[in-house]
Structure formats: structure tokens, C-alpha cells
CSV table of all heavy atoms in Angstrom, one decimal:
chain,number,residue,atom,x,y,z
A,1131,MET,N,-3.1,14.7,-1.7
A,1131,MET,CA,-2.1,14.0,-2.6
A,1131,MET,C,-2.4,14.4,-4.0
A,1131,MET,O,-3.5,14.4,-4.4
A,1131,MET,CB,-2.3,12.5,-2.4
A,1131,MET,CG,-1.2,11.7,-3.1
A,1131,MET,SD,-1.4,9.9,-3.1
A,1131,MET,CE,-1.6,9.6,-1.4
A,1132,ARG,N,-1.4,14.7,-4.7
A,1132,ARG,CA,-1.6,15.1,-6.1
A,1132,ARG,C,-1.8,14.0,-7.0
A,1132,ARG,O,-1.5,12.8,-6.7
A,1132,ARG,CB,-0.3,15.9,-6.5
A,1132,ARG,CG,-0.1,17.2,-5.8
A,1132,ARG,CD,1.1,17.9,-6.3
A,1132,ARG,NE,1.3,19.1,-5.5
A,1132,ARG,CZ,0.9,20.3,-5.9
A,1132,ARG,NH1,0.5,20.5,-7.1
A,1132,ARG,NH2,1.1,21.3,-5.1
A,1133,PHE,N,-2.3,14.3,-8.2
A,1133,PHE,CA,-2.7,13.3,-9.1
A,1133,PHE,C,-1.6,12.4,-9.5
A,1133,PHE,O,-1.7,11.1,-9.5
A,1133,PHE,CB,-3.3,14.0,-10.4
A,1133,PHE,CG,-3.7,13.0,-11.5
A,1133,PHE,CD1,-4.8,12.2,-11.4
A,1133,PHE,CD2,-2.8,12.9,-12.6
A,1133,PHE,CE1,-5.1,11.3,-12.4
A,1133,PHE,CE2,-3.1,12.0,-13.6
A,1133,PHE,CZ,-4.3,11.2,-13.5
A,1134,TRP,N,-0.4,12.9,-9.8
A,1134,TRP,CA,0.7,12.1,-10.3
A,1134,TRP,C,1.3,11.3,-9.2
A,1134,TRP,O,1.9,10.3,-9.4
A,1134,TRP,CB,1.7,13.0,-11.0
A,1134,TRP,CG,1.2,13.5,-12.3
A,1134,TRP,CD1,0.9,14.8,-12.6
A,1134,TRP,CD2,0.9,12.8,-13.5
A,1134,TRP,NE1,0.4,14.9,-13.9
A,1134,TRP,CE2,0.4,13.7,-14.4
A,1134,TRP,CE3,0.9,11.4,-13.8
A,1134,TRP,CZ2,-0.1,13.2,-15.7
A,1134,TRP,CZ3,0.5,11.0,-15.0
A,1134,TRP,CH2,0.0,11.9,-16.0
A,1135,GLN,N,1.2,11.8,-7.9
A,1135,GLN,CA,1.7,11.0,-6.8
A,1135,GLN,C,0.8,9.8,-6.7
A,1135,GLN,O,1.3,8.7,-6.4
A,1135,GLN,CB,1.6,11.8,-5.5
A,1135,GLN,CG,2.7,12.9,-5.4
A,1135,GLN,CD,2.6,13.7,-4.2
A,1135,GLN,OE1,1.5,14.0,-3.8
A,1135,GLN,NE2,3.7,14.0,-3.5
A,1136,ARG,N,-0.5,9.9,-6.9
A,1136,ARG,CA,-1.4,8.8,-6.8
A,1136,ARG,C,-1.1,7.8,-7.9
A,1136,ARG,O,-1.1,6.6,-7.7
A,1136,ARG,CB,-2.9,9.2,-6.9
A,1136,ARG,CG,-3.3,9.9,-5.7
A,1136,ARG,CD,-4.8,10.4,-5.9
A,1136,ARG,NE,-5.2,11.2,-4.8
A,1136,ARG,CZ,-6.3,11.0,-4.1
A,1136,ARG,NH1,-7.1,10.1,-4.5
A,1136,ARG,NH2,-6.6,11.8,-3.1
A,1137,ILE,N,-0.8,8.3,-9.1
A,1137,ILE,CA,-0.5,7.4,-10.2
A,1137,ILE,C,0.8,6.6,-9.9
A,1137,ILE,O,0.9,5.4,-10.1
A,1137,ILE,CB,-0.4,8.2,-11.5
A,1137,ILE,CG1,-1.7,8.8,-11.9
A,1137,ILE,CG2,0.1,7.3,-12.7
A,1137,ILE,CD1,-2.8,7.8,-12.2
A,1138,ALA,N,1.8,7.3,-9.4
A,1138,ALA,CA,3.1,6.7,-9.1
A,1138,ALA,C,2.9,5.6,-8.0
A,1138,ALA,O,3.5,4.6,-8.1
A,1138,ALA,CB,4.1,7.8,-8.7
A,1139,THR,N,2.1,5.9,-7.0
A,1139,THR,CA,1.8,5.0,-5.9
A,1139,THR,C,1.2,3.7,-6.5
A,1139,THR,O,1.5,2.6,-6.2
A,1139,THR,CB,0.9,5.6,-4.8
A,1139,THR,OG1,1.6,6.7,-4.3
A,1139,THR,CG2,0.7,4.6,-3.7
A,1140,ALA,N,0.2,3.9,-7.4
A,1140,ALA,CA,-0.5,2.8,-8.0
A,1140,ALA,C,0.5,2.0,-8.9
A,1140,ALA,O,0.4,0.7,-8.9
A,1140,ALA,CB,-1.7,3.3,-8.8
A,1141,LEU,N,1.3,2.6,-9.6
A,1141,LEU,CA,2.2,1.9,-10.5
A,1141,LEU,C,3.3,1.1,-9.7
A,1141,LEU,O,3.8,0.1,-10.2
A,1141,LEU,CB,2.9,2.9,-11.5
A,1141,LEU,CG,2.0,3.5,-12.6
A,1141,LEU,CD1,2.8,4.5,-13.4
A,1141,LEU,CD2,1.4,2.4,-13.4
A,1142,ARG,N,3.6,1.6,-8.5
A,1142,ARG,CA,4.6,0.9,-7.7
A,1142,ARG,C,3.9,-0.2,-6.8
A,1142,ARG,O,4.6,-0.8,-6.1
A,1142,ARG,CB,5.3,1.9,-6.8
A,1142,ARG,CG,6.3,2.8,-7.5
A,1142,ARG,CD,6.9,3.9,-6.7
A,1142,ARG,NE,7.2,3.5,-5.3
A,1142,ARG,CZ,6.8,4.2,-4.3
A,1142,ARG,NH1,6.2,5.4,-4.4
A,1142,ARG,NH2,7.1,3.8,-3.1
A,1143,LEU,N,2.6,-0.3,-7.0
A,1143,LEU,CA,1.8,-1.3,-6.2
A,1143,LEU,C,2.0,-1.1,-4.7
A,1143,LEU,O,2.2,-2.1,-4.0
A,1143,LEU,CB,2.2,-2.7,-6.7
A,1143,LEU,CG,2.0,-3.0,-8.2
A,1143,LEU,CD1,2.5,-4.4,-8.5
A,1143,LEU,CD2,0.6,-2.8,-8.6
A,1144,ARG,N,1.9,0.1,-4.3
A,1144,ARG,CA,2.0,0.4,-2.9
A,1144,ARG,C,0.6,0.8,-2.3
A,1144,ARG,O,-0.3,1.1,-3.0
A,1144,ARG,CB,3.0,1.6,-2.6
A,1144,ARG,CG,4.4,1.3,-3.2
A,1144,ARG,CD,5.0,0.2,-2.5
A,1144,ARG,NE,6.3,-0.1,-3.1
A,1144,ARG,CZ,7.3,-0.7,-2.5
A,1144,ARG,NH1,7.2,-1.0,-1.2
A,1144,ARG,NH2,8.4,-1.0,-3.2
A,1145,CYS,N,0.6,0.8,-0.9
A,1145,CYS,CA,-0.6,1.1,-0.2
A,1145,CYS,C,-1.1,2.5,-0.5
A,1145,CYS,O,-0.3,3.4,-0.6
A,1145,CYS,CB,-0.4,0.9,1.3
A,1145,CYS,SG,-1.7,1.5,2.3
A,1146,PRO,N,-2.4,2.7,-0.8
A,1146,PRO,CA,-2.9,4.0,-1.1
A,1146,PRO,C,-2.9,5.0,0.1
A,1146,PRO,O,-2.9,6.2,-0.1
A,1146,PRO,CB,-4.4,3.8,-1.6
A,1146,PRO,CG,-4.7,2.5,-1.0
A,1146,PRO,CD,-3.5,1.7,-0.9
A,1147,ARG,N,-2.9,4.5,1.3
A,1147,ARG,CA,-2.9,5.3,2.5
A,1147,ARG,C,-1.5,5.8,2.9
A,1147,ARG,O,-1.2,6.9,3.0
A,1147,ARG,CB,-3.6,4.7,3.7
A,1147,ARG,CG,-3.7,5.6,4.9
A,1147,ARG,CD,-4.7,5.2,5.9
A,1147,ARG,NE,-4.4,4.0,6.5
A,1147,ARG,CZ,-5.2,3.3,7.4
A,1147,ARG,NH1,-6.4,3.8,7.6
A,1147,ARG,NH2,-4.8,2.2,8.0
A,1148,CYS,N,-0.6,4.8,3.2
A,1148,CYS,CA,0.8,5.1,3.7
A,1148,CYS,C,1.8,5.2,2.5
A,1148,CYS,O,2.9,5.8,2.7
A,1148,CYS,CB,1.2,4.1,4.7
A,1148,CYS,SG,1.6,2.5,4.0
A,1149,ARG,N,1.5,4.7,1.4
A,1149,ARG,CA,2.3,4.8,0.2
A,1149,ARG,C,3.7,4.0,0.4
A,1149,ARG,O,4.6,4.3,-0.4
A,1149,ARG,CB,2.6,6.2,-0.3
A,1149,ARG,CG,1.3,6.9,-0.7
A,1149,ARG,CD,1.6,8.2,-1.3
A,1149,ARG,NE,2.0,9.2,-0.3
A,1149,ARG,CZ,2.6,10.3,-0.6
A,1149,ARG,NH1,2.7,10.7,-1.9
A,1149,ARG,NH2,3.0,11.1,0.3
A,1150,ASN,N,3.8,3.2,1.4
A,1150,ASN,CA,5.0,2.4,1.6
A,1150,ASN,C,4.8,0.9,1.6
A,1150,ASN,O,5.6,0.2,1.1
A,1150,ASN,CB,5.6,2.8,3.0
A,1150,ASN,CG,6.3,4.2,2.9
A,1150,ASN,OD1,7.0,4.5,1.9
A,1150,ASN,ND2,6.1,5.0,3.9
A,1151,GLY,N,3.7,0.5,2.2
A,1151,GLY,CA,3.4,-1.0,2.3
A,1151,GLY,C,3.1,-1.6,1.0
A,1151,GLY,O,2.5,-1.0,0.1
A,1152,GLN,N,3.7,-2.8,0.7
A,1152,GLN,CA,3.4,-3.5,-0.5
A,1152,GLN,C,2.1,-4.1,-0.5
A,1152,GLN,O,1.7,-4.7,0.5
A,1152,GLN,CB,4.5,-4.5,-0.7
A,1152,GLN,CG,5.9,-3.9,-0.9
A,1152,GLN,CD,6.9,-5.0,-1.3
A,1152,GLN,OE1,6.7,-6.1,-1.0
A,1152,GLN,NE2,8.0,-4.5,-1.9
A,1153,LEU,N,1.4,-4.0,-1.7
A,1153,LEU,CA,0.1,-4.6,-1.8
A,1153,LEU,C,0.2,-6.1,-2.1
A,1153,LEU,O,-0.7,-6.9,-1.6
A,1153,LEU,CB,-0.7,-4.0,-2.9
A,1153,LEU,CG,-1.0,-2.5,-2.8
A,1153,LEU,CD1,-1.8,-2.0,-4.0
A,1153,LEU,CD2,-1.8,-2.2,-1.5
A,1154,PHE,N,1.2,-6.6,-2.8
A,1154,PHE,CA,1.3,-8.0,-3.2
A,1154,PHE,C,2.5,-8.6,-2.5
A,1154,PHE,O,3.5,-8.0,-2.3
A,1154,PHE,CB,1.5,-8.1,-4.7
A,1154,PHE,CG,0.2,-7.7,-5.4
A,1154,PHE,CD1,0.0,-6.4,-5.8
A,1154,PHE,CD2,-0.7,-8.7,-5.8
A,1154,PHE,CE1,-1.2,-6.1,-6.5
A,1154,PHE,CE2,-1.9,-8.3,-6.4
A,1154,PHE,CZ,-2.1,-7.0,-6.8
A,1155,THR,N,2.3,-9.9,-2.1
A,1155,THR,CA,3.4,-10.7,-1.6
A,1155,THR,C,4.1,-11.5,-2.6
A,1155,THR,O,5.2,-11.9,-2.5
A,1155,THR,CB,2.9,-11.6,-0.4
A,1155,THR,OG1,1.8,-12.4,-1.0
A,1155,THR,CG2,2.4,-10.8,0.7
A,1156,GLY,N,3.4,-11.8,-3.7
A,1156,GLY,CA,3.9,-12.6,-4.8
A,1156,GLY,C,3.3,-12.1,-6.1
A,1156,GLY,O,2.8,-11.0,-6.2
A,1157,LEU,N,3.4,-12.9,-7.1
A,1157,LEU,CA,2.9,-12.5,-8.4
A,1157,LEU,C,1.4,-12.3,-8.4
A,1157,LEU,O,0.9,-11.3,-9.0
A,1157,LEU,CB,3.3,-13.5,-9.5
A,1157,LEU,CG,3.0,-13.1,-10.9
A,1157,LEU,CD1,3.8,-11.9,-11.3
A,1157,LEU,CD2,3.4,-14.3,-11.9
A,1158,LEU,N,0.7,-13.2,-7.8
A,1158,LEU,CA,-0.8,-13.1,-7.8
A,1158,LEU,C,-1.4,-13.1,-6.4
A,1158,LEU,O,-2.6,-13.1,-6.2
A,1158,LEU,CB,-1.4,-14.3,-8.5
A,1158,LEU,CG,-1.0,-14.3,-10.0
A,1158,LEU,CD1,-1.6,-15.6,-10.7
A,1158,LEU,CD2,-1.6,-13.1,-10.7
A,1159,SER,N,-0.6,-13.1,-5.3
A,1159,SER,CA,-1.1,-13.2,-4.0
A,1159,SER,C,-1.0,-11.8,-3.3
A,1159,SER,O,0.0,-11.1,-3.3
A,1159,SER,CB,-0.4,-14.2,-3.1
A,1159,SER,OG,1.0,-13.9,-3.1
A,1160,MET,N,-2.2,-11.3,-2.9
A,1160,MET,CA,-2.3,-10.0,-2.3
A,1160,MET,C,-2.4,-10.0,-0.8
A,1160,MET,O,-3.0,-10.9,-0.3
A,1160,MET,CB,-3.5,-9.3,-2.9
A,1160,MET,CG,-3.6,-7.8,-2.6
A,1160,MET,SD,-5.0,-7.1,-3.6
A,1160,MET,CE,-4.9,-5.4,-3.0
A,1161,ASN,N,-1.8,-9.0,-0.1
A,1161,ASN,CA,-1.9,-9.0,1.3
A,1161,ASN,C,-3.4,-8.6,1.7
A,1161,ASN,O,-4.1,-7.9,1.0
A,1161,ASN,CB,-1.0,-7.9,1.9
A,1161,ASN,CG,0.4,-8.2,1.9
A,1161,ASN,OD1,0.8,-9.4,2.1
A,1161,ASN,ND2,1.3,-7.3,1.6
A,1162,ASP,N,-3.8,-9.2,2.8
A,1162,ASP,CA,-5.2,-8.9,3.4
A,1162,ASP,C,-5.2,-7.5,4.0
A,1162,ASP,O,-6.2,-6.8,3.9
A,1162,ASP,CB,-5.6,-9.9,4.4
A,1162,ASP,CG,-5.9,-11.3,3.7
A,1162,ASP,OD1,-6.1,-11.3,2.5
A,1162,ASP,OD2,-5.8,-12.3,4.5
A,1163,VAL,N,-4.1,-7.1,4.7
A,1163,VAL,CA,-3.9,-5.8,5.2
A,1163,VAL,C,-2.6,-5.3,4.9
A,1163,VAL,O,-1.7,-6.0,4.6
A,1163,VAL,CB,-4.1,-5.8,6.8
A,1163,VAL,CG1,-5.5,-6.2,7.2
A,1163,VAL,CG2,-3.1,-6.7,7.4
A,1164,CYS,N,-2.4,-3.9,4.9
A,1164,CYS,CA,-1.1,-3.3,4.6
A,1164,CYS,C,-0.2,-3.7,5.7
A,1164,CYS,O,-0.5,-3.6,6.9
A,1164,CYS,CB,-1.3,-1.8,4.5
A,1164,CYS,SG,0.3,-1.0,4.3
A,1165,PRO,N,1.1,-4.2,5.4
A,1165,PRO,CA,2.0,-4.5,6.4
A,1165,PRO,C,2.5,-3.3,7.2
A,1165,PRO,O,3.0,-3.5,8.3
A,1165,PRO,CB,3.2,-5.2,5.6
A,1165,PRO,CG,3.0,-4.8,4.2
A,1165,PRO,CD,1.6,-4.4,4.0
A,1166,ARG,N,2.4,-2.1,6.7
A,1166,ARG,CA,2.9,-0.9,7.4
A,1166,ARG,C,1.8,-0.3,8.3
A,1166,ARG,O,1.9,-0.1,9.5
A,1166,ARG,CB,3.4,0.1,6.4
A,1166,ARG,CG,4.6,-0.3,5.7
A,1166,ARG,CD,5.8,-0.1,6.5
A,1166,ARG,NE,7.0,-0.5,5.7
A,1166,ARG,CZ,8.0,0.2,5.3
A,1166,ARG,NH1,7.9,1.5,5.5
A,1166,ARG,NH2,9.0,-0.3,4.7
A,1167,CYS,N,0.7,0.1,7.7
A,1167,CYS,CA,-0.4,0.8,8.4
A,1167,CYS,C,-1.6,0.0,8.7
A,1167,CYS,O,-2.6,0.5,9.3
A,1167,CYS,CB,-0.8,2.1,7.6
A,1167,CYS,SG,-1.7,1.7,6.1
A,1168,GLU,N,-1.6,-1.3,8.3
A,1168,GLU,CA,-2.7,-2.2,8.5
A,1168,GLU,C,-4.1,-1.8,7.9
A,1168,GLU,O,-5.1,-2.0,8.5
A,1168,GLU,CB,-2.9,-2.5,10.0
A,1168,GLU,CG,-1.6,-3.1,10.6
A,1168,GLU,CD,-1.7,-3.5,12.0
A,1168,GLU,OE1,-2.8,-3.2,12.6
A,1168,GLU,OE2,-0.8,-4.1,12.6
A,1169,LEU,N,-4.0,-1.0,6.8
A,1169,LEU,CA,-5.2,-0.7,6.1
A,1169,LEU,C,-5.8,-2.0,5.5
A,1169,LEU,O,-5.1,-2.8,4.9
A,1169,LEU,CB,-4.9,0.3,5.0
A,1169,LEU,CG,-6.0,0.6,4.0
A,1169,LEU,CD1,-7.1,1.4,4.7
A,1169,LEU,CD2,-5.5,1.4,2.8
A,1170,LYS,N,-7.1,-2.2,5.7
A,1170,LYS,CA,-7.7,-3.4,5.1
A,1170,LYS,C,-7.8,-3.3,3.6
A,1170,LYS,O,-8.4,-2.4,3.1
A,1170,LYS,CB,-9.1,-3.5,5.8
A,1170,LYS,CG,-9.8,-4.8,5.4
A,1170,LYS,CD,-11.2,-4.9,6.1
A,1170,LYS,CE,-11.9,-6.1,5.6
A,1170,LYS,NZ,-13.3,-6.2,6.0
A,1171,LEU,N,-7.2,-4.2,2.9
A,1171,LEU,CA,-7.1,-4.2,1.5
A,1171,LEU,C,-8.1,-5.1,0.8
A,1171,LEU,O,-8.3,-5.1,-0.4
A,1171,LEU,CB,-5.7,-4.6,1.0
A,1171,LEU,CG,-4.5,-3.7,1.5
A,1171,LEU,CD1,-3.2,-4.3,1.2
A,1171,LEU,CD2,-4.7,-2.3,0.9
A,1172,GLU,N,-8.7,-6.0,1.6
A,1172,GLU,CA,-9.7,-6.9,1.1
A,1172,GLU,C,-11.0,-6.2,0.8
A,1172,GLU,O,-11.5,-5.4,1.6
A,1172,GLU,CB,-9.9,-8.0,2.2
A,1172,GLU,CG,-10.4,-9.3,1.7
A,1172,GLU,CD,-10.3,-10.3,2.8
A,1172,GLU,OE1,-11.1,-10.1,3.8
A,1172,GLU,OE2,-9.6,-11.3,2.7
A,1173,PRO,N,-11.7,-6.5,-0.3
A,1173,PRO,CA,-13.0,-5.8,-0.6
A,1173,PRO,C,-14.0,-6.3,0.4
A,1173,PRO,O,-13.9,-7.5,0.9
A,1173,PRO,CB,-13.3,-6.2,-2.0
A,1173,PRO,CG,-12.4,-7.3,-2.4
A,1173,PRO,CD,-11.2,-7.3,-1.4
A,1174,GLU,N,-15.0,-5.5,0.7
A,1174,GLU,CA,-16.0,-5.8,1.7
A,1174,GLU,C,-16.9,-6.9,1.0
A,1174,GLU,O,-17.0,-7.0,-0.2
A,1174,GLU,CB,-16.8,-4.6,2.1
A,1174,GLU,CG,-16.0,-3.6,2.8
A,1174,GLU,CD,-16.8,-2.3,3.0
A,1174,GLU,OE1,-18.0,-2.3,2.7
A,1174,GLU,OE2,-16.2,-1.3,3.5
A,1175,SER,N,-17.7,-7.6,1.9
A,1175,SER,CA,-18.6,-8.6,1.4
A,1175,SER,C,-19.7,-7.8,0.6
A,1175,SER,O,-20.2,-6.8,1.0
A,1175,SER,CB,-19.2,-9.4,2.5
A,1175,SER,OG,-19.9,-8.6,3.4
A,1176,GLY,N,-20.1,-8.4,-0.6
A,1176,GLY,CA,-21.0,-7.7,-1.4
A,1176,GLY,C,-20.4,-6.7,-2.4
A,1176,GLY,O,-21.2,-6.0,-3.1
A,1177,PHE,N,-19.1,-6.6,-2.4
A,1177,PHE,CA,-18.4,-5.6,-3.2
A,1177,PHE,C,-18.7,-5.9,-4.7
A,1177,PHE,O,-18.9,-5.0,-5.5
A,1177,PHE,CB,-16.9,-5.7,-3.0
A,1177,PHE,CG,-16.1,-4.8,-3.8
A,1177,PHE,CD1,-16.0,-3.4,-3.5
A,1177,PHE,CD2,-15.4,-5.2,-4.9
A,1177,PHE,CE1,-15.3,-2.6,-4.3
A,1177,PHE,CE2,-14.7,-4.4,-5.7
A,1177,PHE,CZ,-14.6,-3.0,-5.4
A,1178,TYR,N,-18.8,-7.2,-5.1
A,1178,TYR,CA,-19.0,-7.6,-6.5
A,1178,TYR,C,-20.5,-7.8,-6.8
A,1178,TYR,O,-20.8,-8.3,-7.9
A,1178,TYR,CB,-18.2,-8.9,-6.8
A,1178,TYR,CG,-16.7,-8.7,-6.6
A,1178,TYR,CD1,-16.0,-9.2,-5.6
A,1178,TYR,CD2,-16.0,-7.9,-7.5
A,1178,TYR,CE1,-14.7,-9.0,-5.4
A,1178,TYR,CE2,-14.6,-7.7,-7.4
A,1178,TYR,CZ,-14.0,-8.3,-6.3
A,1178,TYR,OH,-12.7,-8.1,-6.1
A,1179,LEU,N,-21.4,-7.5,-5.9
A,1179,LEU,CA,-22.8,-7.8,-6.1
A,1179,LEU,C,-23.3,-7.0,-7.3
A,1179,LEU,O,-24.1,-7.5,-8.1
A,1179,LEU,CB,-23.6,-7.6,-4.8
A,1179,LEU,CG,-25.0,-8.0,-4.8
A,1179,LEU,CD1,-25.0,-9.5,-5.0
A,1179,LEU,CD2,-25.6,-7.7,-3.5
A,1180,GLY,N,-23.0,-5.7,-7.3
A,1180,GLY,CA,-23.5,-4.9,-8.4
A,1180,GLY,C,-23.1,-5.4,-9.8
A,1180,GLY,O,-23.9,-5.4,-10.7
A,1181,SER,N,-21.8,-5.8,-9.9
A,1181,SER,CA,-21.3,-6.3,-11.2
A,1181,SER,C,-22.0,-7.6,-11.5
A,1181,SER,O,-22.2,-7.9,-12.7
A,1181,SER,CB,-19.8,-6.4,-11.2
A,1181,SER,OG,-19.4,-7.3,-10.2
A,1182,ALA,N,-22.3,-8.4,-10.5
A,1182,ALA,CA,-23.0,-9.7,-10.7
A,1182,ALA,C,-24.4,-9.4,-11.3
A,1182,ALA,O,-24.8,-10.1,-12.3
A,1182,ALA,CB,-23.1,-10.5,-9.4
A,1183,TYR,N,-25.1,-8.4,-10.8
A,1183,TYR,CA,-26.4,-8.1,-11.4
A,1183,TYR,C,-26.2,-7.7,-12.9
A,1183,TYR,O,-27.0,-8.2,-13.7
A,1183,TYR,CB,-27.0,-6.9,-10.7
A,1183,TYR,CG,-27.7,-7.3,-9.4
A,1183,TYR,CD1,-27.4,-6.7,-8.2
A,1183,TYR,CD2,-28.8,-8.2,-9.4
A,1183,TYR,CE1,-28.0,-7.0,-7.0
A,1183,TYR,CE2,-29.4,-8.5,-8.3
A,1183,TYR,CZ,-29.0,-7.9,-7.1
A,1183,TYR,OH,-29.7,-8.2,-5.9
A,1184,ALA,N,-25.2,-6.9,-13.2
A,1184,ALA,CA,-25.1,-6.4,-14.6
A,1184,ALA,C,-24.7,-7.6,-15.5
A,1184,ALA,O,-25.2,-7.7,-16.6
A,1184,ALA,CB,-24.0,-5.3,-14.6
A,1185,ASN,N,-23.8,-8.4,-15.0
A,1185,ASN,CA,-23.4,-9.6,-15.8
A,1185,ASN,C,-24.5,-10.6,-16.0
A,1185,ASN,O,-24.7,-11.1,-17.1
A,1185,ASN,CB,-22.2,-10.3,-15.1
A,1185,ASN,CG,-20.9,-9.6,-15.3
A,1185,ASN,OD1,-20.7,-8.9,-16.3
A,1185,ASN,ND2,-20.0,-9.8,-14.4
A,1186,TYR,N,-25.3,-10.8,-15.0
A,1186,TYR,CA,-26.4,-11.7,-15.2
A,1186,TYR,C,-27.4,-11.2,-16.2
A,1186,TYR,O,-27.9,-11.9,-17.0
A,1186,TYR,CB,-27.1,-11.9,-13.8
A,1186,TYR,CG,-28.2,-12.9,-13.8
A,1186,TYR,CD1,-28.0,-14.3,-13.9
A,1186,TYR,CD2,-29.6,-12.5,-13.8
A,1186,TYR,CE1,-29.0,-15.2,-14.0
A,1186,TYR,CE2,-30.6,-13.4,-13.8
A,1186,TYR,CZ,-30.3,-14.7,-13.9
A,1186,TYR,OH,-31.3,-15.6,-14.0
A,1187,ALA,N,-27.7,-9.9,-16.1
A,1187,ALA,CA,-28.7,-9.3,-17.0
A,1187,ALA,C,-28.1,-9.3,-18.5
A,1187,ALA,O,-28.9,-9.6,-19.4
A,1187,ALA,CB,-28.9,-7.8,-16.6
A,1188,GLU,N,-26.8,-9.1,-18.6
A,1188,GLU,CA,-26.2,-9.2,-19.9
A,1188,GLU,C,-26.2,-10.6,-20.5
A,1188,GLU,O,-26.3,-10.8,-21.7
A,1188,GLU,CB,-24.8,-8.6,-19.9
A,1188,GLU,CG,-24.2,-8.4,-21.2
A,1188,GLU,CD,-24.9,-7.3,-22.1
A,1188,GLU,OE1,-25.5,-6.4,-21.5
A,1188,GLU,OE2,-24.8,-7.5,-23.3
A,1189,ALA,N,-25.9,-11.6,-19.6
A,1189,ALA,CA,-25.9,-13.0,-20.1
A,1189,ALA,C,-27.2,-13.5,-20.5
A,1189,ALA,O,-27.3,-14.5,-21.2
A,1189,ALA,CB,-25.3,-13.8,-18.9
A,1190,GLU,N,-28.3,-12.9,-20.0
A,1190,GLU,CA,-29.6,-13.4,-20.3
A,1190,GLU,C,-30.2,-12.9,-21.6
A,1190,GLU,O,-31.3,-13.3,-22.0
A,1190,GLU,CB,-30.6,-13.1,-19.1
A,1190,GLU,CG,-30.4,-13.9,-17.9
A,1190,GLU,CD,-30.6,-15.4,-18.2
A,1190,GLU,OE1,-31.7,-15.7,-18.8
A,1190,GLU,OE2,-29.8,-16.2,-17.7
A,1191,ARG,N,-29.4,-12.1,-22.3
A,1191,ARG,CA,-29.9,-11.5,-23.5
A,1191,ARG,C,-30.0,-12.6,-24.6
A,1191,ARG,O,-29.2,-13.5,-24.7
A,1191,ARG,CB,-29.0,-10.4,-24.0
A,1191,ARG,CG,-29.3,-9.1,-23.3
A,1191,ARG,CD,-28.6,-8.0,-23.9
A,1191,ARG,NE,-28.9,-6.8,-23.3
A,1191,ARG,CZ,-28.5,-5.6,-23.7
A,1191,ARG,NH1,-27.8,-5.5,-24.8
A,1191,ARG,NH2,-28.8,-4.5,-23.1
B,1784,ZN,ZN1,-0.4,1.2,4.3
């Protein structure tokens, strides 16, 4: 996939794999899986753990 195709897919809020399924069902509610190709869109457990470490270290200054 070319760079501009990826940008267009992201701007249209479509699935990164099939480029057809909608990522959002409403203004702030996101699908758990893609309605077309069933790609799991939910982040894995521990996804935010690295950023939590960085935020905690920064908050303790
Ligand atoms: Zn999809």
C-alpha cells in the first residue's frame, strides 16, 4: 500500500487492513472488531503500560 493510500484510509477512518470497514460507530464509540474483515481493533492488554511508566516518572519530578 502506498503512503498516500494509507493517509487517505486513515482520514476516512477506515480499517487499515480491508480499507472498507468503519472504525467508529458514533462520534466517540469505536468498533471492537472491523465489521468487514473482523480485524481486532482493540489494543492488547498492557498496550498503555509503557506510556504509564513515562508519565509516572515525569509526574514525580
Ligand atoms: Zn477491515
Side-chain angles (χ1 to χ4, degrees):
M1131 189 184 307
R1132 293 179 183 260
F1133 175 76
W1134 291 112
Q1135 286 177 321
R1136 289 179 186 228
I1137 296 296
T1139 300
L1141 290 176
R1142 289 173 38 228
L1143 303 177
R1144 301 298 171 152
C1145 170
R1147 182 162 71 185
C1148 68
R1149 296 189 289 168
N1150 285 320
Q1152 293 185 340
L1153 297 180
F1154 289 89
T1155 56
L1157 185 62
L1158 295 176
S1159 58
M1160 189 172 180
N1161 286 325
D1162 293 335
V1163 296
C1164 173
R1166 296 275 177 116
C1167 69
E1168 299 185 355
L1169 173 69
K1170 186 179 174 188
L1171 300 171
E1172 205 171 61
E1174 297 175 3
S1175 61
F1177 180 78
Y1178 298 107
L1179 191 58
S1181 62
Y1183 278 123
N1185 283 334
Y1186 184 73
E1188 188 65 30
E1190 286 298 314
R1191 281 189 177 186

